[in-house]
Amino acid sequence: LAKKGLITPDISIEWLLNKDGSLRVVGFNRTSIDLTMGQRNRSGVSLSYHRDYDKISELFKKNRAKNKTIPKVEATKKEPVKVPGL
């Protein structure tokens, strides 16, 4: 059943796991030719995270939006208003 010269195509399929496309699952099939064994196929699945940067310095900065604290608002106790005659 060994067919010489049969080469399967390299295939890669990506599934987006979130709306912005930064988290993906990638399924793949790679074919390589080995002179001793013939055709070798390698298949697998990988998890990929992608993020865009405009400057290299952004890689080393902390995200300031995550580190900001929300100022606390103190609640004031309100006294009921007394209306004369009621």
Side-chain angles (χ1 to χ4, degrees), residues 29-84:
N29 181 38
R30 306 274 189 268
T31 302
S32 61
I33 303 298
D34 186 357
L35 297 176
T36 59
M37 298 182 67
Q39 179 179 330
R40 299 178 78 185
N41 290 332
R42 184 176 53 155
S43 301
V45 177
S46 65
L47 182 64
S48 172
Y49 178 74
H50 176 83
R51 186 168 177 184
D52 291 328
Y53 294 99
D54 294 326
K55 298 178 183 178
I56 293 176
S57 62
E58 291 178 0
L59 287 171
F60 304 106
K61 290 183 181 178
K62 292 183 180 178
N63 189 353
R64 294 183 183 198
K66 289 182 181 178
N67 295 337
K68 286 185 179 179
T69 57
I70 299 171
K72 294 182 180 178
V73 178
E74 294 183 19
T76 58
K77 186 176 181 182
K78 294 185 180 181
E79 296 292 328
V81 177
K82 294 184 181 180
V83 178

